[in-house]
Amino acid sequence: GNSVTQMEGPVTLSEEAFLTINCTYTATGYPSLFWYVQYPGEGLQLLLKATKADDKGSNKGFEATYRKETTSFHLEKGSVQVSDSAVYFCALFTGGGNKLTFGTGTQLKVEL
Amino acid sequence: DTAVSQTPKYLVTQMGNDKSIKCEQNLGHDTMYWYKQDSKKFLKIMFSYNNKELIINETVPNRFSPKSPDKAHLNLHINSLELGDSAVYFCASSQGDRGPKTEQYFGPGTRLTVT
C-alpha cells in the first residue's frame, strides 16, 4: 500500500535559519506529491506540488524536488520566518487509490 | 467568498448523542472528502464522493454516515457518539478524483469534543 514517512517534530529554528523537512514515500504506480501547511487553528492549505519525477514545486520561498530514485520529496526553505510556524504535511496521490495519503505531519516553530 | 465552508466550527456534545457536520463548497468541484485529524495531528481519509456517488469508504464505524444531497454539499452524520470520536473533522474538495486535477481544498475544520 501507499505510505508517507516524515521526520518527527517539533522542529525549532531561529528566524532566518535554513529549513529541511524530510519526506519519503512508498507507492504503487506514479504518485503526485504534495506539501500542505496547517497554521494554528486553521485547515490545510496546499503549499506546493510536483506531479512527475524531477519536477520541482515551489511557493512562498519553499521548494521540494520529486526524487524518484530516492523516493523522496524533502521540503526546504533558505530563510524561515516566525510566520512560517505551522504543521507541515507531506502527502501523495495515486489515481488508483483515489485518495491522498498523508504523513504524520511535522510541527515547525520559528523563534526570534 | 469562502471556498470550502463547514458548520459548526466547534461542537461539544455528550456520549450517545447524534450529531451532524455540514460542508459546502462553491468551487464547482465534483469530488468531496471527509478527513479525521486526531489529537496527534494525524490525518486520515474517511469518505470520498464523486458526483454524489460514494467512491472511498475507509474502515470507519457504520455510526458515521455521509450524505451528499448535491455536488456542492457533503454532510457527515454521526450516531451514538463515543469519546474516541473527539477529533477535528475536515471537509475537502477537488475538481476530479485523479490526475492533475486532484489538488484538494480544505475547509477550516470542525472540532468535535465528546464528553
Side-chain angles (χ1 to χ4, degrees):
Chain A
N2 297 336
S3 68
V4 176
T5 302
Q6 285 182 240
M7 61 189 289
E8 287 199 21
V11 173
T12 303
L13 295 173
S14 299
E15 203 170 43
E16 299 185 0
F18 185 87
L19 168 71
T20 300
I21 300 179
N22 290 338
C23 170
T24 57
Y25 67 89
T26 303
T28 54
Y30 301 96
S32 295
L33 301 174
F34 303 84
W35 277 101
Y36 280 83
V37 58
Q38 184 179 25
Y39 296 103
E42 297 184 13
L44 278 74
Q45 302 173 26
L46 180 66
L47 182 58
L48 52 84
K49 67 178 181 181
T51 58
K52 61 182 188 296
D54 300 325
D55 267 1
K56 177 186 281 188
S58 61
N59 185 26
K60 298 181 181 180
F62 291 89
E63 292 183 341
T65 301
Y66 189 144
R67 301 283 187 204
K68 187 178 176 185
E69 63 277 12
T70 54
T71 61
S72 65
F73 192 55
H74 304 322
L75 182 68
E76 296 181 336
K77 186 175 185 182
S79 176
V80 293
Q81 306 299 312
V82 171
S83 58
D84 294 326
S85 298
V87 181
Y88 292 81
F89 292 90
C90 185
L92 69 83
F93 184 95
T94 57
N98 290 343
K99 62 184 181 182
L100 273 174
T101 299
F102 284 92
T104 50
T106 302
Q107 183 166 10
L108 171 66
K109 297 179 182 177
V110 181
E111 301 172 335
L112 290 171
Chain B
D1 56 345
T2 304
V4 182
S5 59
Q6 294 179 228
T7 53
K9 190 169 174 64
Y10 300 96
L11 182 55
V12 181
T13 188
Q14 291 184 329
M15 282 196 308
N17 285 347
D18 303 339
K19 291 292 179 186
S20 292
I21 306 171
K22 296 186 176 182
C23 177
E24 176 180 3
Q25 53 94 4
N26 62 7
L27 297 166
H29 290 167
D30 53 15
T31 306
M32 295 184 72
Y33 311 80
W34 276 110
Y35 289 86
K36 180 180 180 180
Q37 186 177 47
D38 64 22
S39 58
K40 296 184 179 178
K41 300 286 189 183
F42 184 66
L43 265 167
K44 188 169 169 54
I45 191 165
M46 301 173 68
F47 302 102
S48 171
Y49 271 73
N50 180 263
N51 283 320
K52 301 197 298 174
E53 275 192 45
L54 181 67
I55 56 172
I56 295 174
N57 185 349
E58 292 293 290
T59 309
V60 176
N62 57 16
R63 297 181 295 105
F64 290 78
S65 53
K67 284 189 171 50
S68 181
D70 54 57
K71 277 176 32 173
H73 296 85
L74 180 62
N75 303 323
L76 183 65
H77 189 75
I78 315 169
N79 289 327
S80 303
L81 278 154
E82 300 178 356
L83 292 176
D85 298 332
S86 296
V88 181
Y89 292 84
F90 286 101
C91 177
S93 71
S94 65
Q95 189 176 352
D97 61 358
R98 59 188 69 228
K101 298 178 180 178
T102 52
E103 178 178 333
Q104 294 186 20
Y105 293 78
F106 283 76
T110 295
R111 182 175 293 276
L112 171 65
T113 303
V114 182
T115 61

